[in-house]
Amino acid sequence: MLGEKRIRGIAERVLAASEADETEVVIFGLEERLTRFANNFIHQNVAETNVAAVVRVALGKRVGTATTNDLSDVGLERAVEQATAAARLSPEDPDYPGLPEPTPVEPVEAFDERTAAYTPADRARDVGAICRQAEAKGVTASGAFRTSVHEFAVANSHGLFAYHPTTIADLTTVVMADDSAGYAAGASWKVEEVDGVGLGAEAIERALRGRNPQPLEPGTYPVVLEAYAVADIVAFITQMAGAMLVSEGRSWMTGRQGERLMSPLISIWDDGRDPAGWPLPFDFEGMPRRRVDIVREGVVGEPVYDRRWARKEGKTSTGHALPLSNPLSPWLSGGAAGPLPLHPVMGAGEHAVEEMIASVSRGLYVTRFHYTRMVHPRDAVITGMTRDGTFLIEDGEITVPVKNLRFTQSYVEALASVEMVGRVLRRQRTGLGILRAPALKLSAFRFTGATTF
Amino acid sequence: MKEWTDLALDTARAKGATYADIRIVHRRVQQVSVRNGAVDLLAEHETVGFGVRVVADGAWGFSSSSRLTREEVQRVAAEAVAIAQASATVGKEPVDLGPPEVHVDTYRTPFEIDPFGVSLEEKLALLLAADEAMRRVKGVRVARGNLVAQRERKTFASTEGSYIEQEITEVGGGIVAYAVDETEIQQRSYPNSFGRDQRTGGWEIVQAMDLPGNAERIASEAVALLTADPCPCEVTTLILGPTQLALQVHESCGHPTELDRVLGAEAAYAGTSFLTPDKLGAFRYGSPVVNLTADATVPGGLGTFGYDDEGVPAQRVPLVREGIFVGYLTSRETAVQLAKMRGEDPERARSGGAMRASGWNRIPLIRMTNINLEPGEWTFDDLIADTEHGIYMETNRSWSIDDKRLNFQFGTEIAYEIRHGRMVRLLKNAIYTGITPEFWGSCDAVCNVDHWRVWGTPNCGKGQPGQVAHVGHGVAPARFRNVQVGVMVN
């Protein structure tokens, strides 16, 4: 871990090396340790110590970017030179909003010493407990357990400096029997809140209950979706809630703000300051993150903004800028996607999953979705498979496991048919955040195909 | 570099490793992207670091760092051993890598024009010309274009005595037009979706793409798709164009033949595979015209290299011969495991050379190289003329497959109805779905070598922590009978 003092020093060296009109540096520090297991033993076990500096310079409205993980004076100066050379060649960007002045950011605690100090032996002990449980039940466990320290910092030539150290632990496990599987996952910035033994037991119970799955005709069924499946819905809905996608007509939100598109039981928001998630109190321009209500009791709310899109549309930034380049998570960078929510939450309701199941005369209980992809953006039509525990519900009870089904379903329409919302929010790790979602009961979900297992 | 590699290997050995290797990797990436006439990103990226992989107490450990200093190399090598020792506490059979691989060599991918020698002005001008041509077409809401040049220099050394230096140069580019009206959104990409096509080679690859020359065409297609008829829902004959077929090969042949996936290593992530070892050599994967090969030696392929990331030479490995499943993508460890499973001599087991890491900070996993559908006999015109009723689909828009790689559903950007041997009607929102061996079993024609080329897939995901691999697929258009199309109709 570099610490605030060293990171501030790196930022100062970058800013001092630049003669541009404006200069910004975003610094990522990472110490990631991940233990992976399969067939009831550890088969991969890795560690990464990394840092990256993303330098953006502006000559008037001409902007260039360079990234490096060489923190020597030579390395940082070369990055500044490369960014400056790119800026000189770049045509003026009429939408460039300039870099922000220093803006107060209230810190949020999200660093846990125990998580930061978690050792390979600690993770092996926790993973070993899952594997032993599985062996005792005659099934095989696989999964991954990760404990990481991240540092995020933004500094610019107007004097802005923001720094946030944080930890995260996340564990996923899939347990397989001969013809069935079960899944469980958890995440928190405190490792003590990730209950490996409990998650292992949950996945084992699902795998054992799923033995001898029966084929089921595709069709439209009422469903009870576990929070793992709902997390996928929340992820797609919120990934299309950025101002750029909405403006370009590539979002389910386009032209629909203020309309009631979903059940009044559904509220979805993004909150980068909530300590129950994985808080990161500022965005990658150094702006404070604000809570944004994307869906409020079924009514389409607001998209999230960075400064560029706020300026274009006469709004203020909600603190959702992505880094222009992100060497540690290349798929999470700005440009193609524009501003995006990283800390989505679907509000909890008042029902237990058992109550949802009891309310279904004939339908399906789905643990999770697999390999979901956008078929059409207008109504967020998604296709994917069920996986790791799909069961038939008859007369209010789970009766038999069923073979996995393919669905092709508008997630917007799905959320319009929500009848019950779970009272428990489960935390699941996403790219740069933790997503929280409850279980849901839907009156209709469209399954369009079946597989052989 | 030898000073660093010796230090890492000596440290690992001293700490108790029975095997160790180190990769030192320097990667430079230049990215230029434009959007609606403005520069989206003009950026240079550099990353350098090293990863040490060890076997200690019979188990694997890996550690990596961006700080190439004496102290850090020693710390990382020692940490890799400590991690391996922790792995061993939840271990099974000791790691067996089979016979040693000892190679001292250098390799570089060839190019005609160094992409880093071409000015940023020229690159920008090319993209802006294509962007302008797309936006001249009425109805286009968003035009985007991007170019990527990448050069990776890596040094591999192992305690078995290998010392290999490689330089891989890649170039990619592409454009996309989005057309939007009040009820519909359509996109067209060239030469491939997901931003670009990419290959090993030089700037000549981008020159051959002629992005500005294709811009107006794809923009017009995007606009025409807004009012096109939807793909019907029926069982019919399907002809896949080259880039969609490349993705079909990727998902339904490439991934399921990864032997680590087959043996459960990916069970908790994207899943396992239906191609279990009992099927090897006997299972009918496809029709007799289906021949699939993993070829890391094909010129220009995005999965082309001299040695994989555990120091095994690049090879050409048959996967499917005349429709029969005959081979896997393998590593040293899994080749030995497979031999033992099949009662073969593990001392003779050799890796097929498919271990690849996405960077210095990742362990090598079994990854695709260039997974190629070998060319058949048909010309494309004859194939269309020979089709009485069907649909031609091209350029992927969505893709999904189950966790054993059986049930798939793919959507394409564009499709045409075929009637009486002619493409007669533009269709939008095209989708097809099937079960992998049934689908490949229905393949009755593959176009010939004149239509065959290698396409790049620079976005192949696998592993935890995630790795994005650059892989290739050589294909020519092919025909499939009795395929379900048009699941979504709007």
Side-chain angles (χ1 to χ4, degrees):
Chain A
M1 186 173 175
L2 292 167
E4 180 172 359
K5 188 176 173 188
R6 282 190 66 193
I7 283 190
R8 193 184 278 273
I10 294 164
E12 286 171 354
R13 282 189 285 149
V14 170
L15 297 177
S18 175
E19 295 177 354
D21 297 332
E22 294 181 295
T23 304
E24 173 192 79
V25 57
V26 179
I27 299 169
F28 301 83
L30 175 67
E31 288 183 9
E32 183 163 271
R33 310 286 184 258
L34 186 144
T35 300
R36 213 171 177 210
F37 54 107
N39 299 312
N40 291 340
F41 71 95
I42 294 173
H43 67 306
Q44 292 167 14
N45 207 346
V46 302
E48 175 184 0
T49 302
N50 202 351
V51 65
V54 181
V55 178
R56 177 164 62 148
V57 307
L59 304 169
K61 285 181 171 290
R62 301 172 189 272
V63 180
T65 304
T67 68
T68 184
N69 68 353
D70 179 354
L71 301 186
S72 68
D73 286 343
V74 171
L76 294 176
E77 284 165 13
R78 187 168 63 242
V80 170
E81 285 167 14
Q82 288 173 332
T84 307
R88 281 198 192 97
L89 294 171
S90 181
E92 286 203 345
D93 176 359
D95 295 323
Y96 174 63
L99 297 179
E101 296 294 323
T103 309
V105 175
E106 186 71 23
V108 183
E109 180 65 35
F111 189 92
D112 177 53
E113 294 289 351
R114 186 171 173 225
T115 307
Y118 227 60
T119 66
D122 292 332
R123 285 190 307 279
R125 180 196 61 229
D126 296 349
V127 162
I130 296 173
C131 294
R132 283 192 300 276
Q133 280 185 90
E135 268 181 341
K137 298 283 187 182
V139 292
T140 60
S142 58
F145 185 17
R146 169 169 49 185
T147 51
S148 308
V149 175
H150 292 254
E151 293 172 276
F152 301 102
V154 183
N156 73 29
S157 52
H158 297 311
L160 182 150
F161 181 80
Y163 171 74
H164 179 71
T166 183
T167 50
I168 187 159
D170 63 297
L171 190 152
T172 59
T173 182
V174 169
V175 172
M176 293 193 296
D178 290 343
D179 56 5
S180 62
Y183 174 82
S188 170
W189 57 271
K190 294 178 182 170
V191 70
E192 68 189 23
E193 292 181 347
V194 178
D195 174 12
V197 171
L199 292 171
E202 179 188 338
I204 289 168
E205 195 273 336
R206 276 205 181 88
L208 294 174
R209 198 169 186 180
R211 282 175 160 161
N212 192 24
Q214 301 300 304
L216 183 73
E217 275 299 304
T220 300
Y221 293 91
V223 289
V224 174
L225 302 179
E226 253 309 340
Y228 304 124
V230 176
D232 191 79
I233 296 177
V234 176
F236 269 101
I237 288 292
T238 55
Q239 281 164 20
M240 299 170 76
M244 185 178 94
L245 294 176
V246 175
S247 171
E248 291 180 350
R250 295 195 284 149
S251 167
W252 61 272
M253 294 177 79
T254 302
R256 291 165 162 173
Q257 283 165 252
E259 286 183 32
R260 183 180 294 284
L261 283 190
M262 299 172 189
S263 160
L265 299 172
I266 294 299
S267 291
I268 299 170
W269 64 89
D270 186 80
D271 188 354
R273 298 189 52 81
D274 188 344
W278 189 29
L280 171 56
F282 53 85
D283 71 3
F284 293 95
E285 294 177 308
M287 302 301 290
R289 289 186 184 275
R290 287 188 4 222
R291 171 175 162 147
V292 175
D293 290 305
I294 296 162
V295 179
R296 201 181 295 112
E297 295 179 350
V299 176
V300 181
E302 301 295 320
V304 300
Y305 289 91
D306 57 11
R307 294 176 65 258
R308 165 183 291 265
W309 282 92
R311 183 173 181 265
K312 276 173 77 82
E313 301 196 352
K315 307 277 188 179
T316 54
S317 168
T318 56
H320 287 85
L322 293 182
L324 273 179
S325 170
N326 186 346
L328 303 190
S329 301
W331 51 92
L332 261 178
S333 53
L340 282 183
L342 298 180
H343 305 86
V345 184
M346 175 180 276
E350 55 190 23
H351 292 285
V353 171
E354 294 73 21
E355 293 174 297
M356 298 181 197
I357 293 168
S359 74
V360 175
S361 56
R362 191 168 191 274
L364 288 165
Y365 168 88
V366 177
T367 299
R368 68 182 290 216
F369 295 151
H370 166 79
Y371 218 130
T372 47
R373 291 292 184 274
M374 181 83 69
V375 174
H376 200 284
R378 184 64 185 156
D379 292 307
V381 176
I382 308 296
T383 190
M385 299 294 302
T386 66
R387 183 179 169 184
D388 300 333
T390 307
F391 299 87
L392 186 65
I393 304 170
E394 294 174 294
D395 299 326
E397 292 185 355
I398 286 179
T399 51
V400 293
V402 297
K403 293 186 176 182
N404 287 303
L405 296 164
R406 171 169 295 287
F407 64 88
T408 307
Q409 167 71 53
S410 159
Y411 276 180
V412 174
E413 287 177 12
L415 292 179
S417 77
V418 169
E419 295 180 337
M420 300 168 92
V421 179
R423 66 168 75 111
V424 176
L425 295 184
R426 297 195 74 142
R427 285 189 286 253
Q428 294 180 75
R429 173 86 188 260
T430 60
L432 259 184
I434 282 179
L435 183 154
R436 287 176 293 148
L440 295 176
K441 182 212 167 182
L442 283 60
S443 63
F445 203 81
R446 187 172 175 236
F447 296 95
T448 53
T451 191
T452 60
F453 60 94
Chain B
M1 290 295 173
K2 190 112 182 17
E3 175 193 354
W4 301 118
T5 61
D6 284 350
L7 180 62
L9 300 178
D10 289 347
T11 304
R13 261 192 297 246
K15 294 289 181 183
T18 53
Y19 169 86
D21 60 40
I22 176 172
R23 284 175 300 112
I24 304 172
V25 182
H26 175 270
R27 178 183 293 160
R28 178 185 177 192
V29 180
Q30 190 181 69
Q31 251 184 308
V32 185
S33 63
V34 302
R35 177 186 169 281
N36 281 353
V39 173
D40 217 23
L41 188 64
L42 199 54
E44 291 270 357
H45 312 287
E46 280 191 60
T47 180
V48 62
F50 65 99
V52 179
R53 186 179 73 145
V54 307
V55 177
D57 293 355
W60 283 114
F62 175 84
S63 184
S64 61
S65 176
S66 58
R67 299 172 205 156
L68 198 55
T69 64
R70 184 173 182 81
E71 295 73 21
E72 186 72 348
V73 168
Q74 289 174 313
R75 183 193 71 78
V76 165
E79 183 176 50
V81 174
I83 288 173
Q85 289 164 341
S87 301
T89 64
V90 189
K92 278 274 171 69
E93 294 293 313
V95 172
D96 183 352
L97 295 174
E101 291 278 354
V102 185
H103 307 279
V104 177
D105 202 357
T106 59
Y107 171 86
R108 68 193 302 220
T109 51
F111 55 79
E112 292 174 22
I113 304 168
D114 184 352
F116 291 97
V118 177
S119 70
L120 279 171
E121 291 101 317
E122 184 175 341
K123 291 167 179 165
L124 203 50
L126 180 91
L127 285 182
L128 289 172
D131 181 281
E132 187 183 351
M134 286 189 282
R135 286 183 298 115
R136 273 200 300 265
V137 176
K138 193 178 174 190
V140 168
R141 172 81 68 92
V142 180
R144 305 187 79 108
N146 85 89
L147 294 169
V148 172
Q150 174 173 309
R151 177 161 293 143
E152 187 172 87
R153 293 190 171 106
K154 52 187 177 183
T155 303
F156 172 90
S158 76
T159 49
E160 292 173 345
S162 279
Y163 190 87
I164 301 163
E165 294 178 300
Q166 298 191 82
E167 179 187 283
I168 313 285
T169 302
E170 301 176 4
V171 173
I175 54 175
V176 57
Y178 295 93
V180 181
D181 66 17
E182 288 191 354
T183 59
E184 186 58 274
I185 306 164
Q186 293 292 331
Q187 70 183 64
R188 279 294 287 139
S189 309
Y190 173 84
N192 203 351
S193 45
F194 313 114
R196 61 192 191 270
D197 184 32
Q198 191 154 321
R199 304 176 68 188
T200 55
W203 182 244
E204 64 278 3
I205 291 168
V206 171
Q207 289 176 324
M209 287 178 184
D210 187 14
L211 298 178
N214 286 277
E216 184 180 345
R217 173 180 64 80
I218 65 142
S220 299
E221 287 173 352
V223 173
L225 282 164
L226 289 175
T227 52
D229 293 328
C231 176
C233 186
E234 62 182 355
V235 174
T236 189
T237 295
L238 175 68
I239 296 177
L240 291 182
T243 60
Q244 176 55 36
L245 189 54
L247 193 69
Q248 179 75 49
V249 169
H250 180 96
E251 299 291 356
S252 67
C253 178
H255 280 306
T257 54
E258 295 162 347
L259 188 51
D260 58 347
R261 179 185 304 284
V262 173
L263 299 179
E266 297 291 323
Y269 193 52
T272 58
S273 169
F274 72 99
L275 287 174
T276 46
D278 55 296
K279 295 186 171 77
L280 188 62
F283 179 71
R284 179 155 286 287
Y285 174 92
S287 74
V289 303
V290 176
N291 292 284
L292 291 147
T293 308
D295 188 354
T297 69
V298 62
L302 197 57
T304 297
F305 47 79
Y307 294 83
D308 76 357
D309 286 329
E310 57 177 7
V312 174
Q315 295 166 50
R316 183 177 156 84
V317 178
L319 302 175
V320 173
R321 276 289 161 266
E322 296 181 353
I324 303 298
F325 165 53
V326 297
Y328 284 115
L329 297 162
T330 56
S331 61
R332 293 180 62 184
E333 184 183 18
T334 57
V336 171
Q337 290 171 333
L338 183 66
K340 289 177 179 173
M341 252 180 248
R342 292 168 60 83
E344 298 166 354
D345 181 3
E347 285 302 310
R348 297 175 64 86
R350 297 295 300 273
S351 164
M355 284 288 267
R356 307 178 68 195
S358 64
W360 56 263
N361 53 348
R362 295 288 184 267
I363 52 165
L365 303 173
I366 295 179
R367 304 308 303 259
M368 292 175 229
T369 55
N370 303 294
I371 309 302
N372 303 332
L373 174 65
E374 300 298 339
E377 304 290 333
W378 290 73
T379 68
F380 183 69
D381 289 346
D382 286 348
L383 189 62
I384 297 293
D386 185 64
T387 302
E388 181 63 20
H389 175 201
I391 295 182
Y392 173 80
M393 296 190 195
E394 171 59 343
T395 315
N396 185 264
R397 197 174 77 175
S398 74
W399 73 108
S400 173
I401 192 162
D402 73 31
D403 59 289
K404 290 187 191 297
R405 304 275 157 182
L406 281 164
N407 178 304
F408 62 82
Q409 180 169 304
F410 295 117
T412 63
E413 289 184 353
I414 195 164
Y416 291 92
E417 181 184 23
I418 303 167
R419 287 276 177 190
H420 310 304
R422 293 176 54 232
M423 289 202 268
V424 295
R425 184 167 62 126
L426 183 68
L427 299 171
K428 70 179 178 183
N429 298 339
I431 283 176
Y432 67 99
T433 185
I435 298 289
T436 296
E438 294 171 10
F439 181 77
W440 284 104
S442 78
C443 180
D444 74 344
V446 181
C447 285
N448 67 27
V449 70
D450 294 339
H451 302 279
W452 193 93
R453 59 154 286 193
V454 182
W455 297 87
T457 301
N459 60 339
C460 175
K462 185 176 178 181
Q464 295 169 293
Q467 300 199 33
V468 177
H470 292 187
V471 308
H473 301 291
V475 293
R479 184 171 66 186
F480 303 83
R481 300 291 194 181
N482 302 312
V483 178
Q484 174 68 53
V485 303
V487 177
M488 183 187 79
V489 177
N490 62 8

